[in-house]
Amino acid sequence: MQHAPLIIDVAGTRLNKTERQRLAHPLVGGVILFGRNWESRAQLAKLCRQIKKVRPDLLICVDHEGGRVQRFRSDGFTHLPPMRALGQMWLGEVAQPPGAAALSACRAATACGYVLAAELRACGVDLSFTPVLDLDHGGSAVIGDRALGADARVVSVLAQALMHGLLQAGMRNCGKHFPGHGYVAADSHHEIPVDERSLEAILVADAAPYGWLQASLDAVMPAHVVYSQVDARPAGFSARWIEGILRQQLGFGGAVFSDDLSMAGARRLDGREIGSTEAALAALQAGCDLVLLCNQSVVDDGAPIDELIDGLSRAQIEGRWQPSALSEQRRLELLPAAPAPLWDELMVSPRYMQALSLLP
């Protein structure tokens, strides 16, 4: 049974022979790009063509939210605002008729989504891990202005508008970080945050957008956060969170990505240190369809990626992991269904120019 759950990275601005071999492996389902993979639009487009030449079904992904999380910023790419700017538009700074500020913010959110997706797709990128659905509780530096706001209702409406803009450009979406990373101060890149609130408190606040948006979300990324009143494992390794709450209780039926397995929040499980293969198996067994391992192509010529591919292959042979046809279907559904726009044509299209004029 085919299932390609691994999303890996590449080292530079073009593929080398070893990377082509990795990407051709049947367990590899996609690539995540970073700033080091960027020189220019022409180079990025060529890199994406090289990836698709290895396998047309490979999903090319990037974290490209706007604000401080935007991988490509020059050679024509629009500097998108942090998502907090949309929430501030909703609140309004001057007296306006009732509802006018909220409607303007929604219109700007759709414009942000369209510009973001259209520019990426014109260079060959398939998916951005956006929108951020975390609430801004004021104490998380890693989330901060990446959040649309503090009110789950406002966040949900603005995220819906942003996802509409993505869809207009032919791009799917990925809400993150389920059930919410905004309450804890610790950064899961460097430590394991613990949220001690009750399940009820989380569901009525941080997790609420996932229930309200379940019919519109194409993918979800759980947080490397321990919600100690619910499960001792981080959400990305918790069957209770992924299968029990996200899928059964909230009704989500799309793809679930693990967050980066190289993060500190993913390297300790059940009180002990684990490697990337064990982390990947734990995430897949908990209900993730796809797992990310980031920034490892630049470590020992990519040895950690090869170890993960070999480790998951052995686990499959030994019966410790079973491929999922449903997970593979969810991965393939994230690929764009329509041809990407040409950059030069995009730059003069009325929809694009209008969207630019609406950005905050």
Side-chain angles (χ1 to χ4, degrees):
M1 183 185 299
Q2 172 140 2
H3 179 192
L6 303 182
I7 308 296
I8 62 174
D9 65 291
V10 295
T13 55
R14 54 193 56 82
L15 296 183
N16 59 40
K17 181 179 179 180
T18 301
E19 288 170 336
R20 287 188 176 90
Q21 292 173 340
R22 287 188 190 122
L23 294 177
H25 196 283
L27 290 178
V28 175
V31 180
I32 179 168
L33 301 177
F34 292 92
R36 68 172 182 275
N37 303 124
W38 163 263
E39 281 179 354
S40 66
R41 284 190 291 108
Q43 168 272 320
L44 176 62
K46 183 176 181 180
L47 174 61
C48 291
R49 289 194 299 270
Q50 289 177 332
I51 293 169
K52 293 291 187 176
K53 187 175 181 180
V54 174
R55 266 180 38 213
D57 69 289
L58 288 171
L59 185 66
I60 303 177
C61 314
V62 69
D63 278 320
H64 197 87
E65 305 164 9
R68 55 196 162 99
V69 182
Q70 181 172 335
R71 304 305 182 201
F72 316 132
R73 295 171 174 267
S74 58
D75 198 13
F77 267 91
T78 301
H79 287 214
L80 295 165
M83 293 298 99
R84 176 183 286 170
L86 297 171
Q88 291 172 335
M89 279 189 71
W90 178 291
L91 296 175
E93 296 181 355
V94 296
Q96 300 182 57
L103 290 172
S104 294
C106 288
R107 187 171 62 169
T110 299
C112 279
Y114 179 77
V115 170
L116 184 160
E119 292 180 353
L120 287 176
R121 291 210 58 218
C123 292
V125 178
D126 297 321
L127 178 72
S128 175
F129 292 116
T130 189
V132 171
L133 298 179
D134 301 308
L135 304 188
D136 183 8
H137 289 276
S140 173
V142 71
I143 300 300
D145 65 0
R146 296 167 66 191
L148 288 158
D151 187 319
R153 298 164 298 182
V154 174
V155 167
S156 297
V157 175
L158 288 175
Q160 178 74 75
L162 189 143
M163 292 189 296
H164 182 61
L166 296 176
L167 186 61
Q168 287 179 339
M171 181 177 283
R172 302 288 190 166
N173 60 69
C174 179
K176 60 186 183 184
H177 307 80
F178 177 79
H181 200 312
Y183 186 79
V184 291
D187 182 349
S188 55
H189 291 86
H190 307 296
E191 49 191 314
I192 303 177
V194 178
D195 188 332
E196 297 179 343
R197 291 177 297 167
S198 68
L199 175 59
E200 292 72 20
I202 296 168
L203 289 177
V204 300
D206 298 63
Y210 294 90
W212 291 330
L213 298 172
Q214 57 85 16
S216 301
L217 285 167
D218 298 309
V220 164
M221 181 180 290
H224 288 323
V225 175
V226 173
Y227 304 88
S228 57
Q229 297 298 311
V230 183
D231 196 333
R233 288 188 163 196
F237 301 126
S238 167
R240 184 177 184 196
W241 275 115
I242 298 173
E243 295 290 352
I245 298 172
L246 179 62
R247 293 209 183 277
Q248 296 178 22
Q249 187 170 340
L250 300 181
F252 175 68
V256 177
F257 286 86
S258 81
D259 205 344
D260 177 13
L261 296 180
S262 71
M263 292 163 57
R267 287 310 180 99
R268 190 169 183 83
L269 193 63
D270 301 331
R272 60 187 180 83
E273 298 293 325
I274 61 171
S276 58
T277 297
E278 189 172 354
L281 287 171
L284 292 168
Q285 290 162 358
C288 288
D289 302 293
L290 300 151
V291 293
L292 278 76
L293 185 67
C294 303
N295 295 310
Q296 300 304 295
S297 61
V298 294
V299 178
D300 296 332
D301 295 324
I305 299 176
D306 296 329
E307 291 171 8
L308 175 57
I309 293 173
D310 292 344
L312 191 59
S313 298
R314 287 195 303 272
Q316 182 178 355
I317 293 170
E318 296 166 0
R320 292 182 288 122
W321 171 68
Q322 295 298 321
S324 166
L326 180 56
S327 290
E328 181 66 7
Q329 178 184 335
R330 290 168 176 156
R331 180 185 75 86
L332 295 175
E333 287 174 351
L334 295 173
L335 291 165
L342 297 175
W343 184 276
D344 290 344
E345 293 178 2
L346 177 67
M347 292 298 104
V348 296
S349 70
R351 172 180 282 181
Y352 176 78
M353 290 189 289
Q354 182 185 38
L356 285 180
S357 72
L358 296 173
L359 297 179

